[in-house]
Amino acid sequence: AGTDWYMWLDGLKKCKKYKNILLINDSLLLGINGIENMRKSIYTMRNKNFDLWGHWSSTQVTYHYVGTPIEIKQRVRNDLIIFIKERISKCFNNMDYITKIETKMIEYLKKKNYTTGVIIEEKYILRDFKKHKFVCPSHNPSLLNFWIYNKNAFAVKWKYILPHLLFENIKNPFFNYLLKY
């Protein structure tokens, strides 16, 4: 539990020369709609001039951006390092990292007047699926088709879709190619 935050803290300390820093981990399948689509989605968010942006938002626990992928601009780096350092030693289990760091990060950075954005807001997902009562729709395996056919999306969390990997109705060549690996 918390490995991502320790790795990101260490990595952020070493990223002084980069304009943009994309925080990712091994839980993602990236490029699910092709690398060009991924590039376009990233450039679109960068052109909106956010200081920090994420792929998905969630209201589970409280409003936040789901842990990864998240990109920050260089000017956010020192404040994010301070934020993580202040909280990481207070985390003792998986839920602590979620409730004390992940779900507090956006609120903390907004209070410091950083601009934030997200590619796909949870309320957008819920608007399209009103009749369902999804918990954490950004990772609900029932919404796999929503993600792999959404041209704004470039990632899914593989551990949430594993039960659906043999789903025969998927006709997305980029996604099917990634499933081979």
Side-chain angles (χ1 to χ4, degrees):
T3 302
D4 291 346
W5 295 102
Y6 286 97
M7 289 187 313
W8 294 334
L9 180 59
D10 186 53
L12 286 167
K13 292 174 185 176
K14 299 172 184 175
C15 291
K16 293 178 184 176
K17 64 181 180 179
Y18 299 102
K19 181 179 175 184
N20 300 301
I21 304 163
L22 183 62
L23 303 172
I24 61 172
N25 66 15
D26 64 351
S27 70
L28 299 172
L29 277 177
L30 294 169
I32 63 169
N33 285 297
I35 298 300
E36 284 306 313
N37 175 74
M38 181 174 164
R39 183 178 287 121
K40 181 180 175 191
S41 294
I42 291 171
Y43 286 150
T44 297
M45 294 307 285
R46 286 179 181 169
N47 288 333
K48 291 182 179 182
N49 209 24
F50 293 122
D51 294 314
L52 175 147
W53 61 267
H55 195 272
W56 308 280
S57 68
S58 174
T59 56
Q60 195 173 16
V61 180
T62 188
Y63 181 83
H64 66 284
Y65 298 165
V66 177
T68 178
I70 289 178
E71 184 174 277
I72 66 167
K73 288 189 175 181
Q74 182 60 234
R75 64 177 161 264
V76 177
R77 190 177 63 84
N78 286 332
D79 282 326
L80 185 54
I81 288 170
I82 291 166
F83 171 81
I84 296 170
K85 277 178 146 179
E86 288 175 351
R87 286 157 182 77
I88 205 163
S89 63
K90 298 173 185 166
C91 298
F92 302 102
N93 59 53
N94 190 46
M95 280 307 292
D96 284 349
Y97 293 99
I98 294 168
T99 60
K100 295 178 181 182
I101 302 178
E102 182 174 330
T103 60
K104 303 291 185 201
M105 183 176 66
I106 298 303
E107 176 186 0
Y108 172 84
L109 293 171
K110 280 185 173 185
K111 284 182 181 176
K112 294 206 159 276
N113 294 317
Y114 291 113
T115 58
T116 64
V118 65
I119 293 175
I120 301 171
E121 287 281 3
E122 181 179 80
K123 64 185 175 185
Y124 167 70
I125 304 165
L126 295 174
R127 181 191 71 210
D128 289 353
F129 298 94
K130 287 181 184 173
K131 63 183 174 184
H132 297 48
K133 299 283 185 205
F134 289 118
V135 175
C136 197
S138 64
H139 293 61
N140 192 301
S142 301
L143 296 175
L144 178 58
N145 279 330
F146 175 83
W147 295 110
I148 63 172
Y149 295 113
N150 184 322
K151 293 300 179 189
N152 294 320
F154 64 81
V156 292
K157 296 265 193 177
W158 62 265
K159 64 184 177 182
Y160 297 105
I161 63 165
L162 280 176
H164 300 272
L165 291 180
L166 298 176
F167 190 69
E168 294 179 17
N169 295 323
I170 296 174
K171 305 289 187 240
N172 180 318
F174 298 111
F175 186 74
N176 287 337
Y177 177 78
L178 290 170
L179 289 181
K180 294 177 187 177
Y181 301 98

